[in-house]
Amino acid sequence: MTTTHHLTRRHWVAGTAALALPSAVLAQATQAINPVAKSALVGPLAPNPAEFRKLMEQFTGGKPAQAEGLQLDVPVLADNPSAVPVKVKVTLPITEQDWCEEIIVLAELNPSPLTCRMQFTAAAGTAEAAVRIRLSQSQTVHALARMKSGKVLLAKQATTVAASGCGM
């Protein structure tokens, strides 16, 4: 038991010393890392605007999105960034000729912007859902809905998070 305690303390001390390196030393160490490894250290938690634009383009098919007909409810201040409540509802009439086929929720500044994808059929009678998403930082949340007629609906709302959620 004494050995275990001693090892635990030594690991703690070693871990603490590593955090105390001067920023100049850390900068030199980062520059010495090859570019692939460097991007792996920085990239996984960084925003991915190219992926966000790609998902928007794929979903809309290049068509302009309509700002009316989709309701998005996201708290203005999210105290738990690991579980931010999001409600999405299509407010247009759902008929046998035109219904919501799919809704996606995108977090613009998340490393992986697609947070949720839901598909519907005409038999659903409504297109609404409530989910919880993870946000990496304060940002705008976008919801898009594609109707059977090809019409694309868009709603977005800014939210402020209390702390980082994706790095946890």
Side-chain angles (χ1 to χ4, degrees):
M1 185 164 184
T2 306
T3 305
T4 305
H5 182 326
H6 178 70
L7 287 175
T8 304
R9 183 170 180 211
R10 187 176 340 154
H11 288 290
W12 179 80
V13 171
T16 304
L19 294 174
L21 288 174
S23 59
V25 173
L26 289 174
Q28 286 176 344
T30 303
Q31 289 175 358
I33 297 173
N34 70 43
V36 174
K38 188 175 179 181
S39 68
L41 291 173
V42 177
L45 298 178
N48 191 346
E51 180 69 12
F52 174 77
R53 285 189 303 274
K54 178 181 146 194
L55 289 166
M56 290 283 282
E57 177 67 28
Q58 284 176 345
F59 194 84
T60 63
K63 300 178 195 171
Q66 177 178 322
E68 309 230 346
L70 187 62
Q71 180 181 346
L72 174 63
D73 183 21
V74 181
V76 175
L77 177 63
D79 59 353
N80 181 1
S82 294
V84 179
V86 174
K87 293 179 187 174
V88 183
K89 180 179 182 178
V90 173
T91 59
L92 295 178
I94 303 295
T95 66
E96 288 185 24
Q97 293 76 33
D98 196 23
W99 69 88
C100 177
E101 293 182 314
E102 185 173 22
I103 294 175
I104 63 171
V105 178
L106 302 172
E108 187 173 349
L109 298 178
N110 270 11
S112 179
L114 181 62
T115 62
C116 185
R117 172 169 282 180
M118 299 159 279
Q119 296 178 333
F120 302 90
T121 66
T126 185
E128 61 182 289
V131 297
R132 292 188 180 267
I133 64 172
R134 176 176 268 188
L135 296 177
S136 63
Q137 58 186 296
S138 299
Q139 60 186 295
T140 301
V141 175
H142 301 254
L144 291 103
R146 185 174 33 242
M147 302 298 286
K148 178 69 176 170
S149 63
K151 190 182 314 181
V152 177
L153 312 175
L154 170 69
K156 58 186 176 180
Q157 185 174 335
T159 186
T160 302
V161 297
S164 179
C166 285
M168 296 180 162

